[in-house]
Amino acid sequence: MVDQRDMASIIGEVGFFDGLPPDTLELLAGCAKNVRFNAGDYIYREGQAADTFYIIRHGSVAVQLHVPGRRPLVIESLTTNEVLGWSWIVAPYRWSFDAQCVTLVRALAFDATCLRTKMETDCAVGYEMLRRFVTVMSQRLRGTRIRLADMYAPTVNAAD
């Protein structure tokens, strides 16, 4: 089992947390644990309570949209050192997508209730976490927009 000081050191190696002071990393470590999922496992399903967010340390996860009568639509593929899940930070705290492991996944899991409490108690921590998650959300929305444009763009005929 990893103690809080070791967990803070592990968290400090993740780019998402670059620039955070050691005391903030230790604060975040109090909400974190290591988790493991097998290929094919669902980390979370659409509609479930969003009570955790993850930093992928190893492996690959497909973020999928359930489409009735069709195979799931992969809207994002995430790998090492990427953030998985931001619904924990936005009420009503429910997942909007499925997250399925493509390979064996090892990740840091952060308890959302613990983290939200610390963010509300320490405004500087709250600001830093929100600032970082808004960046992730913006990047993901931009990527989704590009993929949708590719999917729905009119087909150009080479003969035209």
Side-chain angles (χ1 to χ4, degrees), residues 75-133:
I75 60 168
E76 190 88 38
S77 293
L78 302 174
T79 61
T80 304
N81 287 329
E82 292 191 280
V83 173
L84 173 63
W86 46 266
S87 295
W88 70 274
I89 207 165
V90 181
Y93 314 120
R94 297 268 170 211
W95 295 118
S96 299
F97 306 102
D98 294 342
Q100 186 176 27
C101 299
V102 177
T103 64
L104 169 73
V105 170
R106 289 187 177 89
L108 294 172
F110 293 82
D111 179 272
T113 301
C114 174
L115 201 49
R116 283 193 301 263
T117 299
K118 291 181 180 194
M119 290 169 60
E120 290 168 3
T121 302
D122 187 329
C123 294
V125 171
Y127 171 77
E128 277 301 320
M129 291 302 290
L130 285 173
R131 185 177 70 79
R132 291 160 194 266
F133 269 95

Side-chain angles (χ1 to χ4, degrees), residues 9 55 61 96 118 146 151 156:
S9 177
I55 302 287
V61 176
S96 299
K118 291 181 180 194
I146 290 167
M151 283 177 32
V156 177

